[in-house]
Amino acid sequence: MQKTKILFHNQSELLTQAQIFTGHTLDGTFIAKPGETCAMTTQLTRYDIFLRNGVTGREIARKLDIDLKSLTLKKELNGWYVITES
């Protein structure tokens, strides 16, 4: 089975925990410091990603059933966090 490499760019001021799921299975988890870029692999091309505040554990953003190879977490002017393709 082919592995897919995913790059995550944390452009927020938060320590961020990212969890990648394929189906109902946790495929991987990692912590990204503010301004840090992390790389991980997943077994499938489509996956779900959940981003949490690394200190409190509170969910800040998620994207379901995506196939992006590079994504960025940013804070909008209204205070919401968004995941964008980078």
Side-chain angles (χ1 to χ4, degrees):
M1 184 176 284
Q2 183 178 358
K3 291 190 176 192
T4 302
K5 183 177 177 181
I6 300 165
L7 288 176
F8 172 70
H9 309 280
N10 185 6
Q11 292 185 354
S12 72
E13 74 286 353
L14 297 175
L15 181 69
T16 304
Q17 177 190 31
Q19 296 177 316
I20 294 182
F21 287 85
T22 51
H24 295 286
T25 305
L26 177 63
D27 209 15
T29 186
F30 58 92
I31 300 286
K33 296 176 185 172
E36 186 176 21
T37 297
C38 294
M40 76 174 307
T41 58
T42 182
Q43 296 293 330
L44 301 175
T45 57
R46 299 198 71 79
Y47 59 92
D48 303 331
I49 187 164
F50 294 84
L51 303 177
R52 298 182 178 278
N53 182 318
V55 176
T56 65
R58 187 173 189 178
E59 186 177 306
I60 54 176
R62 69 177 137 181
K63 285 265 190 192
L64 304 177
D65 196 33
I66 60 172
D67 62 352
L68 301 176
K69 305 293 186 267
S70 181
L71 22 110
T72 302
L73 175 66
K74 296 180 182 179
K75 186 174 183 179
E76 296 286 301
L77 292 176
N78 61 5
W80 290 91
Y81 292 91
V82 295
I83 300 171
T84 60
E85 184 174 8
S86 49

